[in-house]
Amino acid sequence: PGTSDLGEELLRCVECSRRSILVINPLITDNRWIEALIGARARGIRVKVITELRENRGSGLKYPTRGFEVTPHKVLAEHYMAVRQLATNRILCRGFRHYAHAKILVVDDERVIVSSANGTPNSLGWGQEPSVEAGVAFNDKPAVGKVVSAFNQLWERCPFRLHLLENDVSLQESAAGQQDACALEMAQGEGGDMVWSYPPRERSLRDTLVRFVSHARERITIVALSFYATDEIPAIHAALLGALNRKVRVTVIVRPEHFSADQYPDQSTKQLLEHGLQLLGIPALHAKGIVVDDSAIAIFSANINPFSLDSEAESAHVEFGFCEDGKIQLLEPYGRWITALEEAAVYEYRR
C-alpha cells in the first residue's frame, strides 16, 4: 500500500506558502487538503485552482450551475461540494474544456511538485485504501519558471470559471473558451522539458514518449494505472513494437484490480505480449512514469490509453509531464524508484 509521504509534503508546502499557490488537480475531496488551501487564502495567500467543474462520466457532459453536489457519483458529489467551499472562501477556481487530469502544485513561484496524486484521502495516503503514488519536488529556477509560465497561460485560457455572487457560487463560461488553449509558448533552456496532452492538437507528451521508446537500446520500464488500446495511438503502438523487435526489454506495470479478468489484456496488449512485452501488476498502483536505458526519464499524469494521449473527445484528458533526456539531474531518484517497482510487482500477465 501507499504511504502518506507525498500527501504530507503537499500539505507542508501549502501551509508554508508566503505569496502564492497554483494548483491543477481533477479531484479535491480531502478535508485536510481543503482546509490547508482555505487556511492559506485566509492568510492572504493568492490561491488559484484549475480543477474539474463539469461531470464527464456516463453519457454526455453535464454543466452544474448551482450546487456542484448535484450528481449520482459519490466522489464527484464530494468534489463539487469542496469546489463550492473553496469558491465561497474566495479561492479562484477555473476549469478546462477537457478533463483536467494533470497534477501540479506550485508554491510562491519557487517550488513545484509534479505528482500522480489526486486531492483525495486515498491518493494523499491516509484514506482507508491508500494508493501507490509518487511525485517529484524541485526548486530549480529554470524548471519552475517553465511550469509557472505554462500555468499562467492555461489559466487565462480556461473557459469555465466560478464566481461568488452574494454568497452563492455560479459557473460561467467565458470567451476564453474560443482561444486555442493548446498553443502554449514553452520556455526553452535548462531545467528539463515540460510536455503536454491538450486536445485537440497539443500532443507533446505522446510525441516525447514515442521518441523515448524509439531511441531505446536496452530497456524500457513504464508505470501507469492503465495500459490499453495502444493500437488507437498508432505512433505509440508502432514504437513499442519496434523496440520489442529490436530485442529491447520492455516492462509495463499496471494496477491489476483496475481491469476485469475477462476483458484484459485487450487485443492490442496481447499483440505486444506475443512480441515479448512483460506486463506486471502492483495492487493500488496510481503512479505514472517511464525510464529508458540510463538516458531518459519522465514523470507524468497520463495513463497509457487514448483518453490520456490521443483522443479528441470532450472527455479526453489534459495531461502534464516533466522529462529529462540525456542529462539526468532532477529526475534521477524517480527513475530509480520506477525501476525498483519491477521487484515489487506481485502479478504477471501471461500471453
Side-chain angles (χ1 to χ4, degrees):
T3 71
S4 63
D5 292 352
L6 175 57
E8 297 289 353
E9 178 64 13
L10 289 165
L11 283 181
R12 188 193 67 79
C13 287
V14 169
E15 291 167 352
C16 293
S17 60
R18 305 183 309 277
R19 297 185 303 277
S20 65
I21 297 170
L22 310 177
V23 175
I24 303 180
N25 203 287
L27 285 174
I28 301 173
T29 64
D30 181 74
N31 288 332
R32 291 176 63 181
W33 181 237
I34 295 165
E35 290 171 2
L37 292 173
I38 292 174
R41 184 68 189 92
R43 300 197 313 271
I45 306 300
R46 175 171 50 90
V47 183
K48 295 181 177 180
V49 176
I50 296 177
T51 188
E52 192 57 27
L53 300 181
R54 305 180 300 167
E55 183 178 336
N56 67 356
R57 300 187 182 187
S59 58
L61 289 161
K62 298 177 182 178
Y63 300 76
T65 55
R66 303 170 76 88
F68 287 84
E69 64 277 11
V70 181
T71 173
H73 299 286
K74 181 177 182 295
V75 173
L76 286 178
E78 293 175 354
H79 168 70
Y80 292 140
M81 291 177 67
V83 169
R84 166 183 282 274
Q85 188 178 358
L86 294 177
T88 302
N89 283 273
R90 302 190 181 281
I91 290 176
L92 301 175
C93 300
R94 295 186 180 183
F96 297 130
R97 185 171 299 283
H98 299 275
Y99 185 60
H101 196 244
K103 288 94 173 173
I104 303 170
L105 171 68
V106 185
V107 176
D108 297 333
D109 292 352
E110 295 177 353
R111 184 171 178 81
V112 170
I113 298 180
V114 179
S115 77
S116 58
N118 296 317
T120 64
N122 285 338
S123 271
L124 297 175
W126 42 73
Q128 293 183 344
E129 299 178 352
S131 51
V132 178
E133 310 278 1
V136 173
F138 52 85
N139 53 14
D140 177 81
K141 190 171 182 179
V144 173
K146 292 179 183 181
V147 177
V148 172
S149 174
F151 182 97
N152 289 335
Q153 293 177 65
L154 289 169
W155 180 260
E156 293 303 320
R157 290 165 167 81
C158 283
F160 299 104
R161 307 178 180 190
L162 290 186
H163 293 270
L164 182 61
L165 302 172
E166 297 181 353
N167 296 319
D168 199 4
V169 178
S170 174
L171 178 68
Q172 299 181 10
E173 182 175 4
S174 75
Q178 305 302 317
Q179 298 182 35
D180 186 1
C182 65
L184 300 176
E185 297 177 6
M186 297 298 186
Q188 301 298 316
E190 297 182 356
D193 292 315
M194 291 188 309
V195 286
W196 293 87
S197 180
Y198 199 122
R201 289 182 294 279
E202 175 57 48
R203 292 291 186 271
S204 60
L205 175 52
R206 178 203 64 188
D207 295 344
T208 295
L209 292 176
V210 169
R211 177 168 56 85
F212 279 11
V213 172
S214 298
H215 292 170
R217 303 182 308 278
E218 297 179 358
R219 66 179 179 88
I220 300 168
T221 303
I222 298 173
V223 174
L225 166 72
S226 64
F227 177 96
Y228 66 87
T230 55
D231 56 342
E232 296 181 26
I233 322 170
I236 293 257
H237 193 75
L240 288 168
L241 280 175
L244 290 166
N245 290 334
R246 296 194 309 275
K247 305 304 179 184
V248 174
R249 182 170 68 86
V250 182
T251 302
V252 173
I253 308 172
V254 298
R255 182 173 184 163
E257 68 269 32
H258 187 66
F259 302 99
S260 300
D262 60 341
Q263 297 178 356
Y264 192 77
D266 62 305
Q267 285 303 119
S268 64
T269 306
K270 286 180 179 178
Q271 182 186 15
L272 295 172
L273 284 169
E274 291 169 358
H275 283 76
L277 175 75
Q278 182 181 36
L279 184 62
L280 306 177
I282 293 181
L285 180 69
H286 194 248
K288 290 95 175 173
I290 186 173
V291 177
V292 178
D293 299 326
D294 295 318
S295 61
I297 302 172
I299 180 173
F300 43 79
S301 58
N303 295 304
I304 310 300
N305 63 53
F307 286 103
S308 280
L309 294 175
D310 211 26
S311 175
E312 295 185 5
E314 276 202 291
S315 55
H317 299 173
V318 175
E319 308 280 8
F320 173 81
F322 192 83
C323 64
E324 291 182 319
D325 186 7
K327 188 178 181 181
I328 308 299
Q329 293 179 312
L330 301 175
L331 297 183
E332 192 273 336
Y334 191 68
R336 284 190 279 108
W337 183 82
I338 288 178
T339 302
L341 287 181
E342 292 188 36
E343 299 299 323
V346 299
Y347 188 87
E348 181 174 3
Y349 292 85
R350 301 298 181 181
R351 299 180 189 177

